[in-house]
């Protein structure tokens, strides 16, 4: 079954769009919201769109509010171009009321900032935490979520495909295999500049920088690069998490494949002929003149096939 693009107008009426002439869906680990864009040849103008959904059979590839709708008349043809972002864009686009929260919790913040946008209760640690969370003027509602997760949970939040805010720190991932015949190109990079050999931390406000965390991946390669981290502030990643994040950037891959692969950020990809697993950090699905392509970015893991 071919991919279906469905536009829901402001009155709630669904419109099945003709085959996309040129389209793209983009997902990235460092972008809270996915994005989509498509161009279609239509017979007549369509009503103003509110919501865009893309289906591959029964699998939802994308859904989210329309950001831009453009009508083009070109050599007698009527063209429609749509741009949209996933539901996480509602958190990015809405500012948060400034204030201070003593003993904050996910439940309290949900009631204050996210419930009225239509989000169900947040998945994550439901405890009430000591301390103060300061919300400054101009902060987005995503910024509130990110600040709380960084300061108290040490996780990266996300909005799942079901539209639920997830602060568990768990990224559900599937294992996907791609045959060599589907591979169009693959670029592999080693980035020694990302490796840090040791992090020296201060864990108490009036203490010294005396706690050393050694990174064996850098040390075994003869790389000497030291960082100092004030963990007493409580808002930065721990030395362990910092080294994990930097190590993951050391060995990366970009690859393109024929067809649409069922990939999401966090999945593990195995490519025939490539000996190691790839943790997917970015996915771009492309449609152009009847051809379909999947482009991925990923981090090579230490897991070796066989």
């Amino acid at each position: 079954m071919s991919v279906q693009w469905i536009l829901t107008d402001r009155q709630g009426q669904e419109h099945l769009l003709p085959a996309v002439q040129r389209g793209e869906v983009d997902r990235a680990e460092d972008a809270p919201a996915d994005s989509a864009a498509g161009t279609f040849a239509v017979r007549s103008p369509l009503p103003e769109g509110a919501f865009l959904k893309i289906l591959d059979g029964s699998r939802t590839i994308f859904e989210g509010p329309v950001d831009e709708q453009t009508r083009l008349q070109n050599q007698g043809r009527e063209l429609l171009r749509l741009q949209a972002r996933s539901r996480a864009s509602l958190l990015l686009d809405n500012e948060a009321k400034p204030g201070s929260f003593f003993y904050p919790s996910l439940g309290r913040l949900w009631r204050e900032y996210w419930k009225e946008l239509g989000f169900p209760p947040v998945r994550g640690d439901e405890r009430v935490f000591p301390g103060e969370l300061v919300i400054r003027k101009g902060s987005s509602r995503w910024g509130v979520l990110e600040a709380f997760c960084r300061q108290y949970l040490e996780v990266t939040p996300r909005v799942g495909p079901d539209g639920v805010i997830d602060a568990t720190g768990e990224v559900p991932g599937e294992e996907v295999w791609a045959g060599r015949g589907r591979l169009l190109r693959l670029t592999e990079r080693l980035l020694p500049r990302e490796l840090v050999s040791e992090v020296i931390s201060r864990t108490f406000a009036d203490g010294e920088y005396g706690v050393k965390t050694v990174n064996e991946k850098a040390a075994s390669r003869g790389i000497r690069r030291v960082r100092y981290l004030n963990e007493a502030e409580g808002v930065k990643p721990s030395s362990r998490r910092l080294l994990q994040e930097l190590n993951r950037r050391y060995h990366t891959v970009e690859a393109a494949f024929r067809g649409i692969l069922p990939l999401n950020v966090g999945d593990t990809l195995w490519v025939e002929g490539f000996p190691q697993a790839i943790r997917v950090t970015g996915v771009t699905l492309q449609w152009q003149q009847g051809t379909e392509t999947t482009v991925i970015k990923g981090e090579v893991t230490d897991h070796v096939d066989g």
Side-chain angles (χ1 to χ4, degrees):
M1 181 180 293
S2 61
V3 172
Q4 294 180 310
W5 295 60
I6 301 168
L7 179 67
T8 302
D9 64 28
R10 295 291 176 189
Q11 285 69 48
Q13 182 70 36
E14 290 189 347
H15 303 267
L16 178 61
L17 298 170
V20 63
Q21 295 194 342
R22 181 169 186 160
E24 184 170 290
V25 171
D26 191 61
R27 310 182 187 117
E29 189 169 56
D30 57 359
D34 300 343
S35 63
T39 301
F40 312 85
V42 294
R43 294 184 178 180
S44 58
L46 288 175
E48 181 181 345
F51 201 79
L52 178 66
K53 179 183 287 189
I54 307 173
L55 298 175
D56 184 7
S58 60
R59 184 172 71 96
T60 299
I61 293 178
F62 174 89
E63 56 181 346
V66 174
D67 279 338
E68 183 176 330
Q69 180 171 336
T70 305
R71 177 189 176 194
L72 305 92
Q73 290 182 312
N74 186 10
Q75 297 180 344
R77 294 194 308 160
E78 184 86 22
L79 298 178
L80 171 69
R81 178 169 174 78
L82 297 170
Q83 292 178 255
R85 288 174 297 157
S86 61
R87 281 179 50 81
S89 63
L90 298 174
L91 301 176
L92 293 166
D93 293 351
N94 282 275
E95 286 193 0
K97 180 182 178 181
S100 294
F101 286 82
F102 293 94
Y103 297 96
S105 68
L106 281 174
R108 186 179 174 193
L109 294 173
W110 170 70
R111 289 188 292 273
E112 179 72 22
Y113 292 117
W114 310 316
K115 181 180 179 180
E116 69 176 1
L117 297 177
F119 288 93
V122 183
R123 293 191 188 118
D125 194 327
E126 298 179 356
R127 288 179 295 166
V128 175
F129 289 87
E132 179 186 11
L133 182 68
V134 177
I135 311 303
R136 304 192 184 281
K137 185 179 182 303
S139 297
S140 69
R141 301 195 189 194
W142 174 264
V144 173
L145 174 65
E146 200 170 37
F148 178 85
C149 289
R150 183 176 64 245
Q151 185 168 335
Y152 293 99
L153 305 180
E154 202 175 322
V155 301
T156 300
R158 66 185 188 91
V159 177
D162 54 0
V164 176
I165 299 171
D166 192 318
T168 63
E170 302 169 0
V171 180
E174 303 290 337
E175 290 207 10
V176 179
W177 186 85
R180 192 77 180 181
R182 298 189 72 166
L183 182 64
L184 297 172
R185 62 182 182 274
L186 185 146
T187 302
E188 183 179 5
R189 291 187 179 89
L190 296 177
L191 300 173
R193 68 172 181 261
E194 297 290 350
L195 293 181
V196 169
S197 56
E198 59 188 40
V199 175
I200 302 174
S201 305
R202 182 172 75 172
T203 55
F204 297 98
D206 56 352
E208 300 290 333
Y209 284 88
V211 179
K212 182 185 294 187
T213 305
V214 176
N215 182 15
E216 293 297 334
K217 178 169 281 192
S220 65
R221 289 164 171 78
I223 294 172
R224 170 73 176 173
R225 192 172 290 118
V226 179
R227 294 287 184 270
Y228 286 84
L229 184 65
N230 185 2
E231 294 190 48
E233 293 180 355
V235 296
K236 294 184 178 181
S238 66
S239 55
R240 175 188 55 81
R241 186 181 179 198
L242 176 62
L243 288 175
Q244 287 176 343
E245 290 175 353
L246 294 173
N247 284 350
R248 281 165 39 188
R249 301 177 197 166
Y250 166 67
H251 192 178
T252 63
V253 162
E254 295 182 14
F257 302 87
R258 292 185 180 89
I260 299 301
L261 294 180
L263 283 170
N264 288 302
V265 170
D267 286 348
T268 298
L269 174 64
W270 293 95
V271 181
E272 183 182 7
F274 191 80
Q276 292 170 282
I278 301 167
R279 194 185 79 86
V280 178
T281 60
V283 182
T284 301
L285 308 177
Q286 299 173 334
W287 295 265
Q288 187 168 5
Q289 297 178 342
T291 64
E292 299 178 333
T293 307
T294 301
V295 180
I296 69 102
K297 292 182 179 180
E299 299 160 342
V300 179
T301 74
D302 294 328
H303 188 179
V304 179
D305 191 12

